[in-house]
């Protein structure tokens, strides 16, 4: 394990996709566009803008093409989308997504609940997606869900996570994001997981995607940073959850990650006050408080 921290971290903002996909109230397309624009204005350089999945499975993402069509594209910002199959990739290409992501699981039960097929079927389904994406020059990210536990199976063997991760990289994903889908991970388990995965995949091809259900996400991120991971997924206002994982609360909040990293002297290029403002706007539309503690305290200091 490395003990020194990186000087820079790249944040992948997943709020407009992972953050919103589980919301029962369907937000207007304009509100989603406004959110993406505010996040880009806050300095976020990688924004997961939508998802080209079945609208029957995830109704909130049904207007992703319109969201892509309506955003103001900032130079240097990568606007990405989830694509579970070729149909999704085609839609993402039409929407001019800069990057796409395929998503697998380390747990068989979650794979079936989430994308209606086994892990090996999902990997076989991703092969033509990767081939076509390469053909048209679009980079593909991979996700592995349930890396520290599964809502249906409980314990997940880190060896399975390492194996699915290695498979995604060998198929052509340039990066794999390790998803603690239900936020059950704790620091030692996180360290052990990353050690297993980095036994088969270079650490600079990994990202940490931690949900904060049990309040462990920031601590686990410090462990990930110590192990050399420099790409962190987070969601503005701590929005989030997976419709096919009961108990998957919000992702770690972007505001909290930016605050923590700034305090550690690690550069992100993100303006904390601007991201807090974006979080407050979207939370107001969803009629709730941001789950970000930094955002809540920032408000009380300002009053
Ligand atoms: C994968 C499928 C499509 C399989 O679903 P299926 O029912 O097995 O698929 P199918 O091929 O039999 O098609 C059924 C219908 O879906 C349509 N369809 C098929 N593909 C598409 C598409 N791309 N876009 C739009 N429509 C599509 C297709 O056209 C057809 O329509 P019909 O003829 O019945 O009207 C479905 O299970 C699905 O969409 N699942 C998505 C689930 C999802 O989005 N989950 C959340 C994201 S994963 C996550 O959040 C975890 C992550 C990434 O954040 C990391 C972490 O935290 O762990």
């Amino acid at each position: 394990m490395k003990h020194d921290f990186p000087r820079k971290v790249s944040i992948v903002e997943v709020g407009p996709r992972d953050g919103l996909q589980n919301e029962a109230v369907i937000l207007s397309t304009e509100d989603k566009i406004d959110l993406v624009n505010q996040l880009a204005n806050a300095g976020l350089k990688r924004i997961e803008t939508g998802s080209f999945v079945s609208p029957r499975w995830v109704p909130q993402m049904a207007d992703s093409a319109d969201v892509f069509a309506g955003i103001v594209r900032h130079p240097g910002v990568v606007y990405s989308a989830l694509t579970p199959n070729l149909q999704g990739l085609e839609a993402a290409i039409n929407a001019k997504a800069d990057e796409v992501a395929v998503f697998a699981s380390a747990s068989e039960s979650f794979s079936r609940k989430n994308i209606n097929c086994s892990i090996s079927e999902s990997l076989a389904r991703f092969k033509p997606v990767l081939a076509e994406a390469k053909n048209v020059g679009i980079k593909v990210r991979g996700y592995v869900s349930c890396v520290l536990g599964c809502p249906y199976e409980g314990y997940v063997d880190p060896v399975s996570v390492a194996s699915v991760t290695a498979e995604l990289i060998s198929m052509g994903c340039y990066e794999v994001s390790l998803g603690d889908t239900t936020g059950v991970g704790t620091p030692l388990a996180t360290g052990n997981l990353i050690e297993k995965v980095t036994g088969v995949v270079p650490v600079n091809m990994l990202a940490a995607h931690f949900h904060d259900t049990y309040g462990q996400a920031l601590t686990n991120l410090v462990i990930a940073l110590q192990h050399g991971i420099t790409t962190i997924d987070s969601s503005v206002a701590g929005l989030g959850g997976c419709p096919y994982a009961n108990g998957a609360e919000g992702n770690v909040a972007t505001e909290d990650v930016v605050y923590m990293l700034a305090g550690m002297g690690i550069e992100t290029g993100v303006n904390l006050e601007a991201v807090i403002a974006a979080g407050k706007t979207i939370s107001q539309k969803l009629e709730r408080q941001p789950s970000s503690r930094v955002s809540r305290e920032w408000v009380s200091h300002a009053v």
Side-chain angles (χ1 to χ4, degrees):
M1 178 181 73
K2 289 172 58 179
H3 288 277
D4 49 334
F5 291 105
R7 286 186 44 240
K8 267 189 182 176
V9 157
S10 167
I11 295 186
V12 180
E13 170 59 53
V14 297
R17 193 280 302 173
D18 206 2
L20 297 184
Q21 70 184 7
N22 202 32
E23 289 296 330
V25 175
I26 304 287
L27 274 186
S28 72
T29 306
E30 290 66 35
D31 287 343
K32 294 174 189 172
I33 291 169
D34 186 44
L35 173 63
V36 174
N37 288 340
Q38 278 199 62
L39 292 166
N41 286 334
L44 286 146
K45 295 283 182 238
R46 297 179 65 181
I47 304 176
E48 211 167 63
T49 302
S51 190
F52 293 102
V53 298
S54 161
R56 269 197 240 160
W57 284 64
V58 186
Q60 185 72 256
M61 293 290 112
D63 61 348
S64 285
D66 298 329
V67 175
F68 270 93
I71 54 177
V72 177
R73 308 244 183 174
H74 286 225
V77 175
V78 172
Y79 299 92
S80 61
L82 292 198
T83 55
N85 51 23
L86 271 175
Q87 190 175 339
L89 176 65
E90 226 167 86
I93 294 169
N94 289 337
K96 300 192 169 42
D98 299 308
E99 183 181 307
V100 298
V102 293
F103 45 106
S105 170
S107 141
E108 282 295 347
S109 309
F110 183 77
S111 183
R112 288 191 184 280
K113 294 274 184 194
N114 194 41
I115 50 176
N116 205 22
C117 62
S118 69
I119 298 170
S120 66
E121 284 165 343
S122 75
L123 295 171
R125 198 182 276 178
F126 299 153
K127 275 191 184 143
V129 175
L130 277 138
E132 182 54 19
K134 189 174 177 193
N135 226 7
V136 296
I138 294 186
K139 281 166 77 177
V140 184
R141 177 181 227 219
Y143 276 102
V144 182
S145 287
C146 299
V147 299
L148 287 162
C150 168
Y152 308 102
E153 295 179 12
Y155 176 75
V156 170
D157 189 342
V159 172
S160 312
V161 180
S163 142
V164 177
T165 305
E167 184 76 19
L168 288 169
I169 296 288
S170 77
M171 284 163 56
C173 290
Y174 78 96
E175 171 179 278
V176 171
S177 177
L178 301 173
D180 182 11
T181 314
T182 48
V184 292
T186 48
L188 295 185
T190 302
N192 180 40
L193 169 77
I194 297 169
E195 278 157 28
K196 284 281 183 314
V197 178
T198 51
V200 293
V201 163
V203 72
N204 62 3
M205 299 183 92
L206 298 176
H209 178 107
F210 296 159
H211 288 249
D212 202 27
T213 320
Y214 289 83
Q216 305 292 301
L218 286 178
T219 317
N220 293 342
L221 283 176
V222 171
I223 299 287
L225 292 168
Q226 282 185 312
H227 281 77
I229 290 183
T230 57
T231 301
I232 292 176
D233 298 359
S234 62
S235 172
V236 65
L239 299 174
C242 175
Y244 296 100
N246 280 338
E249 293 291 326
N251 293 74
V252 66
T254 305
E255 298 90 319
D256 296 355
V257 173
V258 171
Y259 178 87
M260 179 183 83
L261 295 178
M264 294 168 78
I266 299 172
E267 246 177 79
T268 60
V270 179
N271 178 315
L272 179 58
E273 289 202 343
V275 88
I276 287 175
K280 285 201 221 159
T281 307
I282 189 68
S283 298
Q284 216 168 19
K285 285 171 184 163
L286 293 166
E287 298 180 1
R288 69 170 63 151
Q289 290 293 313
S291 76
S292 158
R293 301 274 289 273
V294 168
S295 174
R296 294 208 303 255
E297 285 307 310
W298 208 266
V299 173
S300 65
H301 286 314
V303 171

